[in-house]
Amino acid sequence: MLKVKDLAVKFYNQEDKIWLETVHKVSFSLEKGKVLGIVGESGSGKSVTSFSVMRLHDSKNTRIDGEISLDNIDLLNLDDNEIRKYRGNKIAMIFQEPMTSLNPVFTCGEQVREAIMLHQQVDKQTAKKNTINLFKEVQLPRPENIFDSYPHQLSGGQKQRVMIAMALSCNPELLIADEPTTALDVTVQKTILQLLARLKTERNMAMIFISHDLGLMSEIADELMVMYKGDIVEQGTAQQLFKNPQHPYTKGLLACRPSPKRLLKKLPTVADFLNEDKDVGLQHLLAKNAFTQEEVNQRRTKLYSQEPILKVQNLCTWYPIHKGLFGKTQDFVKAVDEVSFDVFPGETLGLVGESGCGKTTLGRTILRLVEPTSGKLIFDGIDITHSNKKELRKLRRDVQLIFQDPYSSLNPKITVGQSIMEPLIVHGIYANDTERKAHVIQLLEKVNLGAEYFNRYPHEFSGGQRQRIVIARALALKPKFIVCDESVSALDVSVQAQVLNLLRDLQEEFGLTYIFISHDLAVVKHISDRMVIMNKGKIEEQGFPEEIYKNPKAVYTQKLIDAIPGNF
């Protein structure tokens, strides 16, 4: 149905006045009713390839060579008016970030209705009826209400379903899903994958599914295509690639995702496979990095023979719900409800649960960025539950936060060097800026970035590099305790492995204590000494990771385990 032959894509670089080729003579085909998975890291050329199929590139600054044919019609030879008839009608796309793909000033229903009216030439009432039927098909709750809701009123998973409904609105023959589950909860991710698989079968559609996560591909793809730096390095059935990967890059992508079945000191990275001799395989790397039970026992004896650095006792953070004419408090949203646990010096405590379970609110309450309703917080032997601003300022030196989105937590107007130096100036550390700059350069080197990055701005870095900058800033004040809030959730699995290894290395070097917050149980199990499972503001269970994984006591925990993609 779809044939792509010798596809080469070049972009014009305005600064250097040259054409840069980002996709090099790529060829593949796709049959009706099949799913082709395109996998690779950011910058591998997978999204550029799919945008070329849709003809979404800016024609002035892009050159596309080769052939792209759908049902024997060459898409590259169609003019702008002709390609519009195909886009949405024959080929549809689900974009990576639903919040930026949906218009915030129109209701969700209006946006889907517009697509139906444009392509199917039906009246407003019929288009509304079709939209509500589509919302039912993608299993959105209360479809009539969602028709009149704005994007900001929906959860991430619901917004993604609206995008799927819009893509399906004109019965396309080919659906392109570009990273449609990135940064979603693992449970929501699983339901979206199941939904796409069901719709593909019911409608007999072909699908191109793009992701950086090979584990995820095992759930949906029939054929797989691995891309690296604009080239296809390996192609075959999903079964072939998982059982017997040939290219070092494919082996690296398979190995760097944390597996709940393994207990490793360090995750293998793609670089390990690209740099090592060809004979050195996955099993060798895993054996080299595996914890022995004796090492685990020694670490636990050392950790838990100490006094806790943090005691959380019956902590509650409730938000009042105001109703009525005079805004009386009618009820409370119990974001954190009677939560108790201890954290020991040098330990990593993993907090895991879906969005809305209260884990981020709990992390922020511990840092006193959110005020607790009741309960006690004792840090380093001092009750900080009701500390005033002056006392909290002292606390800020010892307790730091790594935010979920590094880009929005860095000031785009100042260089990364200035961003890291800022807390040193605020707290009066070092005599002058020369000394502070030397300390910042040391920190950049610690997170595997060099002095040459000091004067660059946040937009000049990749997502993984920005995460390293935020980690360097958190380390600037030499804290004892760091809360990592979903700090790897939106990263490529290969970059995620590097950041997780970095966090563990820094913990050993500086004796740091972490609370590591994530919705991904596999990631939390890999990095944590103990885990706390949260649901609806309460703790479902807590204990050692391998015990929780092998023998979960709560149904909710089992649900999180079942949602781990691939689970190999």
Side-chain angles (χ1 to χ4, degrees):
M1 189 189 92
L2 176 74
K3 286 180 187 172
V4 176
K5 190 179 177 189
D6 294 332
L7 174 70
V9 185
K10 294 176 185 172
F11 293 105
Y12 188 65
N13 183 313
Q14 300 279 2
E15 206 174 299
D16 300 327
K17 309 288 183 203
I18 53 167
W19 288 91
L20 299 171
E21 190 168 276
T22 55
V23 172
H24 322 297
K25 295 209 167 184
V26 160
S27 299
F28 61 91
S29 60
L30 178 60
E31 293 173 31
K32 200 164 183 139
K34 295 284 183 186
V35 178
L36 170 70
I38 305 180
V39 71
E41 298 166 283
S42 296
S44 62
K46 54 192 193 302
S47 290
V48 172
T49 302
S50 66
F51 272 52
S52 303
V53 173
M54 289 281 284
R55 289 267 310 272
L56 287 173
H57 295 302
D58 169 21
S59 52
K60 286 180 187 173
N61 296 310
T62 314
R63 276 188 196 157
I64 304 175
D65 298 314
E67 291 172 35
I68 302 172
S69 64
L70 182 74
D71 295 333
N72 296 319
I73 291 160
D74 192 345
L75 299 179
L76 294 181
N77 284 334
L78 300 177
D79 64 31
D80 287 349
N81 284 328
E82 287 171 317
I83 194 68
R84 274 193 203 107
K85 292 172 190 171
Y86 279 81
R87 252 188 240 133
N89 225 355
K90 293 259 187 185
I91 316 170
M93 193 164 189
I94 305 163
F95 293 94
Q96 181 169 356
E97 178 46 76
M99 195 63 210
T100 54
S101 310
L102 291 167
N103 192 326
V105 299
F106 291 103
T107 65
C108 296
E110 194 53 55
Q111 294 180 63
V112 179
R113 177 162 67 180
E114 182 189 31
I116 293 170
M117 288 171 71
L118 182 71
H119 288 287
Q120 294 188 4
Q121 312 297 317
V122 295
D123 63 65
K124 219 171 180 180
Q125 213 48 44
T126 308
K128 181 176 180 177
K129 191 179 165 189
N130 291 354
T131 302
I132 289 169
N133 285 337
L134 279 166
F135 285 173
K136 285 177 185 169
E137 193 177 358
V138 298
Q139 296 168 349
L140 275 165
R142 307 177 309 284
E144 288 83 4
N145 291 5
I146 284 182
F147 187 94
D148 296 318
S149 299
Y150 289 89
H152 72 270
Q153 295 174 302
L154 306 186
S155 70
Q158 287 173 335
K159 281 195 281 273
Q160 199 58 282
R161 285 165 193 265
V162 170
M163 287 300 300
I164 294 168
M166 192 186 291
L168 296 174
S169 61
C170 299
N171 298 311
E173 292 176 23
L174 172 63
L175 180 66
I176 300 172
D178 186 9
E179 299 267 16
T181 60
T182 300
L184 292 178
D185 285 350
V186 281
T187 47
V188 177
Q189 176 178 270
K190 184 160 187 167
T191 55
I192 295 288
L193 287 176
Q194 288 168 343
L195 172 66
L196 286 170
R198 179 175 65 77
L199 292 169
K200 182 234 16 163
T201 307
E202 286 173 4
R203 290 166 172 253
N204 196 26
M205 283 187 305
M207 196 190 301
I208 294 175
F209 191 95
I210 296 166
S211 179
H212 58 258
D213 189 344
L214 260 170
L216 201 64
M217 288 298 191
S218 66
E219 308 271 323
I220 196 161
D222 300 305
E223 299 275 328
L224 271 178
M225 187 170 105
V226 182
M227 290 190 76
Y228 177 60
K229 292 184 178 177
D231 289 305
I232 297 171
V233 293
E234 193 161 357
Q235 253 175 313
T237 66
Q239 209 172 5
Q240 281 170 347
L241 261 73
F242 280 105
K243 282 192 173 174
N244 191 22
Q246 296 300 306
H247 197 275
Y249 183 69
T250 314
K251 291 176 185 175
L253 283 180
L254 276 167
C256 64
R257 170 144 184 93
S259 168
K261 295 175 184 174
R262 300 194 288 252
L263 197 61
L264 301 177
K265 299 171 190 173
K266 205 172 184 182
L267 284 168
T269 63
V270 168
D272 291 329
F273 289 85
L274 294 174
N275 298 340
E276 291 271 13
D277 299 329
K278 284 187 180 173
D279 326 352
V280 180
L282 173 61
Q283 294 313 316
H284 171 82
L285 274 170
L286 294 180
K288 194 169 82 173
N289 289 323
F291 272 113
T292 64
Q293 194 54 52
E294 190 182 345
E295 285 173 319
V296 173
N297 293 343
Q298 281 173 354
R299 177 170 169 80
R300 285 176 183 169
T301 304
K302 185 184 167 188
L303 284 175
Y304 305 122
S305 60
Q306 308 170 92
E307 268 296 302
I309 191 170
L310 175 73
K311 292 180 180 182
V312 178
Q313 298 171 351
N314 305 113
L315 191 68
C316 293
T317 307
W318 295 1
Y319 297 110
I321 299 168
H322 300 294
K323 284 181 184 173
L325 186 63
F326 299 104
K328 284 187 177 177
T329 301
Q330 299 289 315
D331 203 353
F332 291 91
V333 174
K334 297 179 180 180
V336 177
D337 195 18
E338 294 287 338
V339 164
S340 299
F341 59 83
D342 293 339
V343 187
F344 294 82
E347 180 184 29
T348 300
L349 182 81
L351 274 183
V352 67
E354 296 169 288
S355 294
C357 72
K359 57 190 190 298
T360 294
T361 304
L362 174 57
R364 286 169 180 248
T365 307
I366 288 166
L367 293 165
R368 286 286 311 279
L369 296 172
V370 173
E371 288 303 311
T373 308
S374 63
K376 261 190 177 185
L377 290 166
I378 298 164
F379 179 77
D380 219 4
I382 299 162
D383 188 341
I384 61 163
T385 321
H386 305 291
S387 296
N388 60 34
K389 282 185 181 177
K390 195 178 175 184
E391 290 163 338
L392 283 175
R393 195 184 175 104
K394 277 187 195 171
L395 176 74
R396 299 278 175 250
R397 286 189 63 164
D398 289 333
V399 183
Q400 288 288 307
L401 174 64
I402 299 169
F403 292 93
Q404 181 169 357
D405 180 2
Y407 194 64
S408 62
S409 63
L410 289 168
N411 187 334
K413 293 179 182 177
I414 64 172
T415 65
V416 299
Q418 289 170 301
S419 281
I420 300 168
M421 205 193 282
E422 198 173 31
L424 299 172
I425 296 166
V426 169
H427 288 274
I429 296 169
Y430 295 110
N432 54 50
D433 280 354
T434 308
E435 288 182 17
R436 290 183 191 115
K437 185 175 178 179
H439 179 59
V440 170
I441 287 167
Q442 269 186 335
L443 287 168
L444 285 169
E445 284 165 355
K446 283 273 178 244
V447 297
N448 303 325
L449 297 169
E452 66 272 20
Y453 295 101
F454 186 93
N455 290 316
R456 292 193 193 173
Y457 290 87
H459 72 270
E460 297 178 85
F461 294 90
S462 69
Q465 286 174 322
R466 279 197 289 266
Q467 199 59 277
R468 289 168 186 271
I469 291 158
V470 173
I471 291 168
R473 188 177 61 183
L475 292 172
L477 297 172
K478 300 179 181 173
K480 298 176 183 175
F481 191 95
I482 298 178
V483 176
C484 308
D485 185 10
E486 296 276 13
S487 51
V488 296
S489 63
L491 299 177
D492 284 353
V493 284
S494 53
V495 179
Q496 175 181 277
Q498 292 166 23
V499 173
L500 290 171
N501 289 342
L502 172 66
L503 286 169
R504 191 166 263 174
D505 290 344
L506 293 169
Q507 182 175 47
E508 279 183 33
E509 188 174 345
F510 297 110
L512 298 167
T513 306
Y514 295 137
I515 285 184
F516 191 91
I517 298 169
S518 178
H519 59 257
D520 189 335
L521 195 134
V523 169
V524 174
K525 182 182 180 292
H526 164 74
I527 200 164
S528 302
D529 294 293
R530 283 183 305 136
M531 286 198 313
V532 172
I533 314 289
M534 282 192 75
N535 182 24
K536 294 176 182 171
K538 290 186 177 288
I539 291 176
E540 289 275 343
E541 60 182 301
Q542 55 183 308
F544 294 129
E546 71 280 9
E547 288 171 8
I548 287 177
Y549 180 72
K550 283 178 188 169
N551 186 26
K553 294 182 175 70
V555 176
Y556 179 75
T557 311
Q558 187 62 57
K559 183 182 158 192
L560 290 176
I561 292 167
D562 292 342
I564 297 169
N567 211 347
F568 51 81

